[in-house]
């Protein structure tokens, strides 16, 4: 019934839908529910230790017999200079005073670890069916080990050039991440945020440029979006924001309220939350210090000094300093169990494609 079955055949899933890995707001529970609905469930591992990632995958394996995607960042770490740290703390000083926080108190460093040998050993042990990467691909030696473990490899491209690079370096499928998409931009061959194409422009050009299946991402939250992605040449879709209001997600009550009020213009691309461009629901910090600020330290160090502010505001039921990543189709999200949502997405997409074909 699907006009292109390449992704279904590659991943061995019921539907050509990939649950986007959303670090910080989901765990095994959402992966399991989406997989039960027929999607490829993705476990975000960038903020997990190797031990925690192993534990989460084991929970998934015990609960559902379905392919699993483990997702990792593969950025090149940049050290935080004393100068950059002082400049950022000075920018946040007023907020610290407002919340009665001591700027000199010790803070846990933000944890966004890139894929390394320790994580590679976990992958070799657990053998997930799919391993996805963000910000390119890991070094060739590690990538060879991942493939030798029998894992399919996918990664995000935000431009045609990045998609071609990913295919050339071993990706089995490419995620075409349009500018509408929530979360961190997967940029790795460019830092020109103003030049990032939208999904409608990016997907057909990527589909023309690569031979591997293309997974459309960005602004897709219902059957109409899925049908449009297939019309543009995609073999499947990756969906994140539509799942944020599912009961299985770990979004806070204040975050859920913000998502429920979301509109087409509620999100912005910002660097003030982590130091790297990402799309999320606009909050107080983004409005007052950004959305793009030269004062933000490099990724992920901007998030470190925000930790105490985020905790203090969330205690008061506010998301002033919370990185609530979401895409431009945020208003299309629904409060449905993830398995039910997945089946409904697939059903409505097929109905839309049938109607268009008729």
């Amino acid at each position: 019934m699907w006009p292109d079955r390449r992704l279904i055949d590659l991943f061995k899933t019921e539907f050509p839908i990939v649950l986007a890995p959303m670090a910080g707001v989901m765990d095994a529970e959402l992966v399991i529910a989406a997989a039960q609905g027929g999607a490829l469930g993705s476990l975000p591992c960038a903020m997990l230790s190797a031990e925690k990632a192993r534990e989460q995958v084991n929970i998934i394996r015990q609960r559902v017999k379905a392919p699993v995607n483990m997702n990792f960042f593969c950025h090149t770490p940049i050290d935080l200079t004393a100068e950059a740290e002082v400049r950022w703390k000075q920018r946040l000083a007023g907020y610290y005073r407002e919340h009665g926080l001591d700027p000199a108190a010790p803070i846990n460093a933000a944890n966004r670890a890139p894929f390394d040998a320790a994580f590679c050993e976990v992958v070799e042990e657990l053998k997930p069916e799919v391993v996805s990467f963000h910000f390119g691909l890991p070094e060739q030696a590690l990538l060879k080990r991942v493939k030798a473990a029998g894992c399919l490899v996918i990664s995000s491209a935000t431009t045609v050039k990045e998609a071609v690079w990913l295919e050339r370096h071993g990706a089995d499928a490419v995620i075409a991440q349009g500018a509408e998409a929530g979360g961190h931009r997967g940029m790795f061959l460019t830092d020109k945020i103003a030049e990032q194409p939208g999904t409608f422009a990016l997907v057909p050009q990527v589909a023309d440029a690569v031979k591997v299946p293309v997974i459309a991402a960005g602004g897709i939250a219902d059957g109409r979006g899925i049908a449009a992605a297939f019309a543009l040449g995609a073999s499947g879709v990756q969906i994140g924001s539509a799942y944020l209001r599912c009961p299985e997600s770990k979004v806070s009550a204040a975050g859920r309220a913000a998502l429920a009020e979301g509109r087409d213009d509620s999100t912005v691309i910002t660097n003030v939350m982590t130091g790297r461009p990402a799309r999320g629901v606009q909050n107080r910090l983004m409005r007052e210090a950004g959305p793009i600020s030269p004062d933000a330290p490099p990724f992920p160090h901007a998030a470190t000094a925000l930790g105490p502010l985020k905790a203090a505001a969330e205690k008061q039921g506010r998301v002033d300093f919370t990185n609530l990543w979401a895409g431009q189709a945020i208003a299309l999200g629904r409060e449905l169990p993830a398995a039910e949502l997945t089946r409904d997405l697939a059903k409505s997409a097929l109905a839309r494609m049938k109607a268009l074909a008729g």
Side-chain angles (χ1 to χ4, degrees), residues 39-345:
L40 174 66
S42 306
L43 179 72
C45 298
M47 294 173 66
L48 303 181
S49 66
E51 295 73 24
K52 187 68 175 178
R54 182 183 291 109
E55 172 192 295
Q56 289 282 292
V57 171
N58 286 334
I59 291 171
I60 296 165
R61 294 292 198 203
Q62 290 166 12
R63 294 270 306 279
V64 64
K65 293 188 183 303
V68 176
N69 169 32
M70 293 181 74
N71 172 259
F72 300 94
F73 286 173
C74 51
H75 58 285
T76 301
I78 301 174
D79 291 334
L80 176 63
T81 65
E83 180 186 359
E85 184 177 17
V86 168
R87 186 171 64 244
W88 188 228
K89 284 193 171 182
Q90 286 175 341
R91 184 64 185 82
L92 302 176
Y95 300 123
Y96 268 72
R97 286 193 298 270
E98 179 185 329
H99 289 84
L101 298 170
D102 178 8
I107 309 172
N108 289 331
N111 174 29
R112 308 285 195 284
F115 189 72
D116 58 11
F119 269 131
C120 195
E121 288 178 8
V122 174
V123 165
E124 289 170 323
E125 172 194 336
L126 298 175
K127 293 181 170 53
E129 287 76 6
V130 183
V131 176
S132 65
F133 294 102
H134 213 51
F135 313 131
L137 291 170
E139 61 182 75
Q140 201 63 32
L142 292 177
L143 187 64
K144 284 182 179 178
R145 288 171 59 184
V146 170
K147 294 205 141 209
C151 310
L152 295 167
V153 170
I154 62 177
S155 186
S156 297
T158 67
T159 63
V160 172
K161 184 178 180 180
E162 288 178 344
V164 171
W165 187 96
L166 290 174
E167 180 181 48
R168 187 181 302 135
H169 288 79
D172 297 293
V174 170
I175 302 162
Q177 188 194 31
E180 301 94 324
H184 284 97
R185 306 298 302 143
M187 307 158 68
F188 63 94
L189 295 181
T190 178
D191 59 3
K192 295 180 172 62
I193 192 67
E195 297 178 1
Q196 293 277 277
T199 305
F200 242 69
L202 180 63
V203 171
Q205 293 182 75
V206 170
D208 286 347
V210 301
K211 294 182 174 62
V212 296
V214 176
I215 302 165
I220 302 167
D222 64 9
R224 292 170 295 183
I226 297 172
F230 274 83
L232 294 171
S235 301
V237 296
Q238 178 169 280
I239 298 177
S241 301
Y243 286 93
L244 287 172
R245 292 168 63 195
C246 294
E248 298 90 351
S249 89
K250 303 304 177 189
V251 177
S252 67
R256 287 177 185 274
L259 289 168
E261 295 169 2
R263 305 183 306 271
D264 60 324
D265 59 354
S266 293
T267 68
V268 295
I269 292 178
T270 181
N271 71 336
V272 299
M273 303 307 300
T274 66
R276 193 164 184 138
R279 182 178 292 282
V281 178
Q282 191 162 197
N283 60 25
R284 180 185 174 189
L285 183 70
M286 294 177 198
R287 286 191 296 270
E288 296 177 0
I292 301 294
S293 171
D295 294 331
F299 180 83
H301 304 297
T304 298
L306 293 177
L309 292 169
K310 175 182 175 181
E314 287 184 348
K315 281 182 182 176
Q316 299 171 11
R318 303 201 314 270
V319 290
D320 292 353
F321 307 96
T322 300
N323 51 336
L324 189 58
W325 302 138
Q328 289 182 324
I330 180 178
L332 299 177
R334 289 174 288 163
E335 294 179 12
L336 282 178
E340 183 181 341
L341 174 62
T342 304
R343 286 190 289 268
D344 185 70
L345 287 168

